[in-house]
């Protein structure tokens, strides 16, 4: 069942824009809430954007990706730096011991930019995209946007940035999924081996 949903999933950039009930939106959010995270820190907040003017502004900040305007709603997946114990930074130091000192001395702003890759919002985002698919709702990820402008628009606290935005809606047309690499091309067992 899950594989069937995944086989038919594809990014949609042409939505009908029709309203989606709060009940379904909450179902999608709940799927995100249940995500795993390193140390169960859950270093995220989720911003639901339904207001059409706000959706338009997001599309402008996303370097005028006009298609975003057709979405019924957006969810901003926001990463928050974990305060105090800075568990995140200690974990990165342990993961990259050769540059531990650099990581230790990196100022918060730079650290926060680099941190985005690690920051685990893609997990709740994936849960959400799947929960939406169960209801026939398609989605597309957006990470091509000006992070500073997005923080201002969403009035985010200083320790948080929007890592990605997910745009949701019903597709106008059925779209064939894109071709994916075969398992043989991307899987190795035990030790990586280059096939001649
Ligand atoms: C993290 C991430 C960021 C993305 N950002 C954008 C984006 O800013 N704009 C866009 O049109 N698509 C974006 N995409 C969608 C990809 O282009 C799309 O997933 C890819 O082409 C594969 O197509 P598929 O999702 O239909 O399999 C993003 C996808 C991911 C996973």
């Amino acid at each position: 069942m899950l594989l069937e949903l995944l086989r038919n999933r594809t990014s949609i950039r042409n939505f009908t824009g029709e309203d989606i009930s709060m009940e379904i939106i909450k179902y999608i959010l709940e799927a995100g809430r249940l995500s795993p995270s390193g140390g169960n820190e859950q270093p995220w907040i989720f911003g639901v954007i339904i207001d059409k003017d706000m959706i338009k502004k997001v599309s402008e900040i996303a370097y005028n990706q006009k298609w975003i305007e057709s979405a019924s709603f957006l969810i901003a997946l926001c990463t928050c730096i974990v305060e105090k114990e800075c568990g995140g930074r200690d974990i990165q130091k342990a993961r990259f011991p050769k540059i531990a000192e650099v990581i230790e001395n990196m100022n918060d702003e730079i650290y926060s930019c680099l941190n985005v890759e690690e920051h685990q919002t893609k997990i709740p985002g994936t849960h959400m995209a799947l929960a939406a698919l169960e209801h026939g709702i398609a989605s597309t990820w957006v990470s091509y946007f000006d992070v500073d402008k997005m923080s201002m628009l969403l009035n985010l606290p200083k320790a948080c940035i929007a890592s990605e935005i997910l745009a949701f809606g019903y597709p106008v047309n059925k779209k064939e999924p894109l071709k994916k690499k075969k398992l043989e091309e991307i899987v190795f067992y035990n030790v990586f081996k280059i096939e001649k």
Side-chain angles (χ1 to χ4, degrees), residues 2 17 47 51-52 67-68 86 90 100 117 129 131 137 145 155 193:
L2 183 56
D51 181 81
K52 296 285 176 210
W67 63 267
I68 295 172
C86 276
D90 284 345
E117 287 311 319
I137 296 167
F145 55 80
N155 194 28
K193 194 167 71 186

Side-chain angles (χ1 to χ4, degrees), residues 9-11 13 65 67 122 141-144 178 180:
R9 185 212 60 84
T10 187
S11 293
R13 297 182 184 80
Q65 298 189 62
W67 63 267
K122 290 183 181 78
W141 291 82
V142 180
S143 67
Y144 185 54
L178 300 193
K180 301 296 174 187

Side-chain angles (χ1 to χ4, degrees), residues 17 28 38-39 50 53 60 67 85 99 103-104 107 120 125-126 129 131 139 151 174 177:
I28 292 169
I50 304 170
D53 282 345
E60 286 161 9
W67 63 267
E85 74 270 34
I99 55 162
I103 295 171
E104 172 69 31
N107 80 34
Q120 308 174 57
T126 301
S139 60
S151 293
K174 191 165 163 36

